[in-house]
Each structure stands twice: as C-alpha cells, then as structure tokens.
Amino acid sequence: MITDTRPELSGVTLGTQEPLAYQAADGLALDGLLVLPVGRTASDGPFPLITIVHGGPYDRHADRCQLFWFPSAQWLAAAGYAVFLPNPRGGQGHGHRFAATVAGQVGQEEWTDIQTGIDLLISRGIADPLRLGIAGWSHGGFMSAWAVGQTDRFRAALVGAGVVDWGMLAATGENGQFEAALGGSTGWSGVGPHRHDAVSPVSFASHIRTPVLILHGAEDTNVPLGQAVYLHRALRHFDVEHEFVIYPREGHSIRERHHQLDVLSRTRAWFDRWLRP
C-alpha cells in the first residue's frame, strides 16, 4: 500500500531531477544532482542556472524531493531555473578521506569541484554562462560568499547564515574547536599556523562585484549574527550591491513559518532581479 504523506503537493508539477556523475579536475569521482525547470527538458536549454551548495560541510544533496524552507531546487525550478546541487569533497557518501580533505583548507578543492560541475553543465548546453547564480545556507553560505570573492562569473549570490571569518567563528561560535580545525587554526595558544585569514571570504571582500543577498537569524549561536554584519559592512565599504535581512528570534535554522515564506519569496525575487534577461 502506498501512503500519501504530502497531499498538499497533489497536482503540483515538479522539475525533472536527475543524478550527475563527473570527475574533478584531479580525476576524483564526484556526484551531484541536476533539477531542470518545470516542464522543460535538457534539450530546451541553456537555462539560467543556480548552484546550491549544501551545509555541513559533512552533508550531501541526496536524491530526494528537493523542496525545503531554505533555498531549494524545486522552488527555483518552478520559476524557470535549472539548479545544480553539487556534492564536492568534504561531504558524506565517499568515505572518511573524502570528507576530511577540507580540514584546514575550506574553499579550496571543494570550490574547484563545484566549478568543474558548472562548467560541465555549460558545455552540455544546459546552463547559460551569462546567467549563473550561487546560493547556500550555513557552510553553503560560506561557499557562496567564498565564490563571489574568487570570481565574477556569478550574476547574483545568496549567503544564508554563512561563515565569512573563520577566526572570529572559532572565538564566538558554539563549535569553536571544530570551526578552528576547518578554518586552519591549529594552535589555541598562539603557537602553530593560523590560515583562517586565507580561507575567510571577508579577506577577499575587495574583489567582490556580484550582488549579494545576506540572510541570517538574530539568535544564531552556531554562526553568530556578527558574521553577517561583518560581510554587510565590508560590502557597504566597497560599494557592492547587496541586501541584508535579519530574522528576529531565529537561530541557525529559520523556524517561524512567515519567516520561512519570506526566505523563499525573497530568494526567488533576488535571482529574478539579476538573472532574468
């Protein structure tokens, strides 16, 4: 017997979702998902493409219905976007060595893995290289902030509850030792290498030209609000187009329904503003 657990989705057409398998620049086997715009096939491309990076980094985009309160593929596919959901190194599904690769060097090979997937979709005629966006929440927000400091290829970005300074996060976040290891701070007493400046997006704020939407919960203890304030002030200093939204009473995840709806509508409006012809 089949149980209908989501009757509210009855009659809702979803975008075609398919797994991707490809190789990183160094030959490492990678995977991810592609969600096409609702009612379209790959041969109808190229489409505006939004890349959504997962959090964690020890997580993955599983092959399930990609419809959540945070920036999600089916929500964007309904608005005519193709969505790339990469599973770069650092995440689940490929063993310990694959996951541990990013320790101390976040934003390095995992970023290359993501770019390789985007380039693949461009070469296949699915993604329009002139209409690319990037988004993410938590570690995905970090990767989105990192991306726009490394390249101008994205027309718009969304940074949700993202890390912009690893040293500050190690000092103020609730998982300080873990964050210190990710960001490259190995010595708590001032002894040992501290690479967090080299892998912190705020260190590259002067390079950012991409419009950025910043979303953050006011009571976030995992990635404290100060991270978003720091990015906002840096973008304001360098005169970068951006919007900054703080959700009162919210932590690392947005729980209140009207706030969740605002995240979804604001996300789609932001990308519509910059990625539409």
Side-chain angles (χ1 to χ4, degrees), residues 58 91-100:
Y58 191 60
Q92 299 175 356
H94 294 273
H96 176 74
R97 180 175 295 181
F98 182 92

Side-chain angles (χ1 to χ4, degrees), residues 1 12 95 268-269:
M1 184 177 74
V12 175
R268 209 149 73 176

Side-chain angles (χ1 to χ4, degrees), residues 69 86-87 98 128 133 137 147 152 173-174 213 217 219 270:
W69 65 263
N87 288 317
F98 182 92
D128 182 344
W137 203 271
D152 292 336
E174 62 188 20
L213 173 62
E219 307 300 326
W270 183 253

